[in-house]
């Protein structure tokens, strides 16, 4: 009986290792294909297709990307600016709301919570929102339109509220009040300090959504100098597609001069780069914050 | 009168806290509540000169058209169908993987694989479309190269509608597996070792321990995630669909969801009335659905209800 149990555990462990290894490889595989593609000569991609190991090694894709870097640098700076301003402002507002909404002596906290939560249940939809922003607030082609809509979501406020509730004991509020601190002071000198892991998690959610956003650019931005990074990549891929289709249809050898395929892959790598470097640090906080905040619901 | 005094009294007592909520209240008023007025567009034949109340009122014509053309039915089916598949397969797989990974003792291996599986979650959807392109495109895509090297004919994947429900589901799982797996893993870590020790002494093998301890203990997490997912069942993963399929009309029949239809009506066809009508239908349908699900759950177990 004992042996049977141990044997079962062992075979279960082996199966676990095999399945997890396989899945991890499957998750990594498309990235490897992209990296390899960015290092392959364009001709080779067109002739032999994408391979895991470059058939003909070449840096022409990267050369092409960095030949005219102005647009890329512009898109990078727009995204960095939007991400930093949006994340800092959003964090300030979300923590403040979360703090007030979990204060038990704030009588209207449930009413305000419902006011926020209701927006996830029912809404006007994309079109009225779009028309309001472009026609009534005239925010088209501004940086503000890239920042404002993403500042807060009900989900993040609820996450923050739960986090503060579990991280800051109620007695602290009472004793701080007796010491003469007002509600805002309690917030910035006690709550903020005790909620760092929660703030990091919510901050990362915000930063990630700003960094990866292409949708707001596509809706509201016509001026290409205000494109976010992801939308710039999106546009570039579509123009490249257009260029290669044009040239193959008309017999013009434009595609020969512009290494469309390898440039696309190189551009994707350049756009993704920073996240991959920050990723190990980000992930650790994410896991920690989710464990405390989300699991409790 | 008394009530009003109560509010004013509260306001005076907690004016700092009220002030701290002002930005949030303003944000949701502007971003979410004001646009609700624009629902009126759904009942007009919108013209740009007229604006909100200057456009001719057409009653339910927009809805009638959507209904009679069969679009509404197709969109609803696609939207709900995909989401149900995502919920069922996504949750089952993340629970299974979380259990497997929790049994692994090798620390380095565990950390490494967890990080790799979480990686796709951090990538933008635009990048996803690039990855899909170099896997599936007709001339140079990896899949077709593989088929060719095995002596098989290449498949024009972007022209083959029936493949897309599978591909979209695979990409959804690929992108989200790490994230939901980590949430489940966190709740498994929270289960006290004592249960497992006791079960071991009673002679339970590993499968019995998983089935009788781990799986039941994951129920609360599962219910919370399920409720959130059901709540947004009418809103489907716009980025995923749009970036994978884009404006490829050949695939609409199997890939068009309400969100992509509304986006297209707005950006490509300028069909304001129709797009608003579809959006309103989405909102109302979703609202009724959440209320129903919540009421049912409240009946079964009040603790799990959302509100």
């Amino acid at each position: 009986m004992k042996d049977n149990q141990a044997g079962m555990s062992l075979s279960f462990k082996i199966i676990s290792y095999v399945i997890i290894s396989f899945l991890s490889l499957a998750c990594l595989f498309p990235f490897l294909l992209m990296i390899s593609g960015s290092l392959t000569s364009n001709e080779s991609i067109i002739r032999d297709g994408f391979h895991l190991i470059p058939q003909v090694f070449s840096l022409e894709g990267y050369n092409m990307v960095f030949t005219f870097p102005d647009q890329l640098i512009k898109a990078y700076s727009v995204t960095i600016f939007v991400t930093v301003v949006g994340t800092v402002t959003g964090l300030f507002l979300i923590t403040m709301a979360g703090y007030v909404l979990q204060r038990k002596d704030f009588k209207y906290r449930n009413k305000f919570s419902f006011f926020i939560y209701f927006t996830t249940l029912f809404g006007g939809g994309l079109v009225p929102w779009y028309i309001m922003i472009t026609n009534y607030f005239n925010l088209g082609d501004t940086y503000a339109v890239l920042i404002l809509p993403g500042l807060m979501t009900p989900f993040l406020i609820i996450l923050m509220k739960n986090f503060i509730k579990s991280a800051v004991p109620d007695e602290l509020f009472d004793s701080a009040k007796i010491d003469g601190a007002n509600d805002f002071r309690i917030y910035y000198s006690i709550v903020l300090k005790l909620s760092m892991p929660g703030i990091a998690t919510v901050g990362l959610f915000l930063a990630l959504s700003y960094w990866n956003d292409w949708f707001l650019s596509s809706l509201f931005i016509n001026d290409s100098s205000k494109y976010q990074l992801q939308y710039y990549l999106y546009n570039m891929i579509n123009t490249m597609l257009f260029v290669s289709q044009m040239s193959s249809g008309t017999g013009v050898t434009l595609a020969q001069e512009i290494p469309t395929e390898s440039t696309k892959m190189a551009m994707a790598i350049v756009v993704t780069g920073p996240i991959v470097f920050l990723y190990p640090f980000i992930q650790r906080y994410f896991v920690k914050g989710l464990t405390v905040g989300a699991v409790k619901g | 009168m008394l009530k009003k005094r109560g509010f004013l009294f509260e306001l005076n007592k907690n004016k700092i806290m009220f002030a701290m909520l002002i930005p949030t209240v303003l944000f949701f008023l502007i971003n979410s509540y004001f646009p609700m007025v624009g629902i009126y567009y759904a009942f007009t034949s919108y013209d740009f000169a007229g604006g909100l109340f200057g456009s001719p009122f057409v009653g339910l014509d927009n809805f009638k058209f959507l209904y009679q053309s069969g679009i509404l039915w197709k969109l609803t089916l696609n939207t709900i169908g995909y989401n149900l598949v995502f919920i069922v397969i996504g949750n089952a797989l993340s629970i299974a993987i979380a259990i497997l990974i929790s049994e692994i003792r090798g620390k380095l291996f565990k950390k490494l694989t967890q990080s790799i599986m979480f990686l796709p979650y951090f990538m933008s959807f635009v990048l996803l479309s690039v990855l899909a392109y170099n896997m599936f495109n007709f001339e140079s895509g990896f899949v077709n190269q593989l088929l060719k090297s095995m002596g098989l004919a290449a498949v024009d994947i972007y022209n083959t509608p029936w493949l897309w429900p599978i591909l979209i589901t695979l990409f959804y799982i690929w992108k989200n597996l790490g994230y939901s797996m980590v949430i489940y893993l966190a709740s498994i870590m929270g289960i006290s070792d004592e249960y497992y020790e006791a079960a071991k002494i009673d002679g339970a093998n590993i499968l019995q321990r998983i089935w009788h301890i781990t799986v039941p203990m994951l129920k609360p997490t599962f219910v919370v995630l399920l409720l959130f997912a059901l709540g947004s069942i009418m809103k489907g993963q716009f980025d995923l669909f749009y970036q994978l399929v884009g404006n490829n009309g050949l695939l609409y029949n199997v890939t068009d969801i309400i969100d992509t239809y509304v986006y297209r009506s707005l950006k490509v066809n300028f069909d304001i009335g129709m797009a608003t009508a579809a959006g309103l239908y989405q909102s109302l349908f979703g609202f009724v659905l959440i209320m129903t699900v919540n009421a049912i759950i409240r009946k079964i177990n009040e603790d799990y209800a959302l509100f």
Side-chain angles (χ1 to χ4, degrees), chain A residues 207-214 230 275, chain B residues 121-125:
Chain A
L208 203 61
S209 70
Y210 277 116
W211 187 271
N212 282 340
D213 184 52
W214 61 277
Q230 304 296 337
I275 288 228
Chain B
Y121 183 78
F122 289 83
M123 296 302 148
S124 74
F125 283 96

Side-chain angles (χ1 to χ4, degrees), chain A residues 8 13 23 27 48 50 96 108 115 117 123 129 131-132 148 212 214 218 230 237 261 272 279 283, chain B residues 10 20 27 31 33 41 97 115 118-119 122 124 130 133-134 140 145 174 207 239 243 263 267 283:
Chain A
M8 188 141 197
K13 266 188 188 127
L23 271 174
C27 283
D48 318 316
F50 289 105
M96 214 154 64
Y108 290 91
F115 173 82
Y117 179 69
W129 179 72
I131 294 178
M132 181 193 74
L148 290 176
N212 282 340
W214 61 277
S218 98
Q230 304 296 337
I237 289 162
E261 296 300 311
T272 312
Y279 171 68
Q283 189 222 4
Chain B
E10 246 345 273
M20 289 170 82
F27 176 86
N31 207 46
Y33 286 92
Y41 295 127
I97 302 304
S115 296
F118 212 165
L119 185 65
F122 289 83
S124 74
V130 178
Y133 174 81
N134 73 15
S140 50
Q145 292 297 322
W174 180 78
L207 292 180
D239 293 77
Q243 288 296 345
Y263 180 80
K267 288 294 283 184
S283 237

Side-chain angles (χ1 to χ4, degrees), chain A:
Chain A
M1 188 66 198
K2 261 234 148 89
D3 281 341
N4 181 22
Q5 261 189 45
M8 188 141 197
S9 290
L10 185 68
S11 53
F12 188 85
K13 266 188 188 127
I14 292 169
I15 293 170
S16 303
Y17 272 97
V18 171
I19 293 179
I20 300 289
S21 306
F22 173 77
L23 271 174
S24 304
L25 283 178
C27 283
L28 207 54
F29 183 73
F31 295 114
L32 297 177
L33 214 53
M34 183 178 74
I35 294 169
S36 155
S38 76
L39 294 170
T40 308
S41 93
N42 198 53
E43 264 172 67
S44 161
I45 295 180
I46 291 170
R47 197 181 54 234
D48 318 316
F50 289 105
H51 283 83
L52 215 44
I53 295 154
Q55 306 283 298
V56 182
F57 181 85
S58 156
L59 289 173
E60 62 184 355
Y62 290 96
N63 277 337
M64 187 68 208
V65 169
F66 291 114
T67 310
F68 305 104
D70 297 7
Q71 277 268 317
L72 179 68
I73 291 169
K74 188 72 207 169
Y76 247 107
S77 33
V78 170
T79 295
I80 291 172
F81 173 75
V82 165
T83 304
V84 170
V85 174
T87 306
V88 171
T89 318
L91 269 182
F92 177 62
L93 299 181
I94 289 171
T95 47
M96 214 154 64
Y99 158 70
V100 175
L101 292 177
Q102 63 80 48
R103 277 277 299 259
K104 289 207 178 59
D105 53 337
F106 185 65
K107 211 175 137 198
Y108 290 91
R109 66 178 193 285
N110 286 331
K111 291 208 169 66
F112 280 108
S113 292
F114 188 76
F115 173 82
I116 293 168
Y117 179 69
F118 182 73
T119 61
T120 66
L121 297 177
F122 185 80
L126 176 70
V127 179
W129 179 72
Y130 172 83
I131 294 178
M132 181 193 74
I133 286 181
T134 47
N135 290 3
Y136 294 89
F137 289 98
N138 288 320
L139 287 177
D141 265 335
T142 61
Y143 291 115
V145 84
L146 298 176
I147 295 172
L148 290 176
L151 282 178
M152 289 191 251
T153 66
F155 170 72
L156 291 182
I157 295 177
I158 293 168
L159 196 71
M160 200 64 226
K161 187 178 98 173
N162 287 339
F163 193 91
I164 295 175
K165 207 192 276 174
S166 69
V168 189
D170 283 341
E171 295 79 47
L172 264 184
F173 297 129
D174 297 332
S175 65
K177 268 193 184 161
I178 292 166
D179 289 344
N182 71 32
D183 295 318
F184 187 75
R185 170 127 201 182
I186 296 174
Y187 158 74
Y188 83 74
S189 50
I190 296 175
V191 173
L192 284 188
K193 292 208 170 82
L194 290 176
S195 317
M196 268 343 255
I199 292 174
T201 310
V202 171
L204 290 168
F205 265 115
L206 280 175
L208 203 61
S209 70
Y210 277 116
W211 187 271
N212 282 340
D213 184 52
W214 61 277
F215 185 61
L216 292 170
S217 285
S218 98
L219 274 182
F220 299 114
I221 306 290
N222 292 313
D223 171 4
S224 65
S225 74
K226 291 195 181 92
Y227 282 170
Q228 296 164 102
L229 203 49
Q230 304 296 337
Y231 191 60
Y232 174 63
L233 173 67
Y234 172 77
N235 264 328
M236 215 211 60
I237 289 162
N238 287 327
T239 9
M240 289 269 175
L241 213 59
F242 180 69
V243 168
S244 66
Q245 275 164 357
M246 276 274 290
S247 56
S248 70
T250 54
V252 179
T253 52
L254 205 55
Q256 297 276 301
E257 289 154 37
I258 303 174
T260 49
E261 296 300 311
S262 47
T263 308
K264 253 187 264 179
M265 298 305 137
M267 185 63 89
I269 300 270
V270 171
V271 165
T272 312
I275 288 228
V276 174
F277 288 119
L278 288 174
Y279 171 68
F281 308 100
I282 295 178
Q283 189 222 4
R284 201 176 45 209
Y285 269 107
F286 238 71
V287 173
K288 224 188 263 168
L290 280 174
T291 318
V292 186
V295 175
K296 291 195 170 165

Side-chain angles (χ1 to χ4, degrees), chain B residues 110-128:
Chain B
K110 200 168 171 169
K111 270 205 170 134
L112 194 69
T113 50
Q114 219 177 314
S115 296
I116 293 172
M117 283 191 272
F118 212 165
L119 185 65
Y121 183 78
F122 289 83
M123 296 302 148
S124 74
F125 283 96
V126 179
L127 193 74
L128 199 79

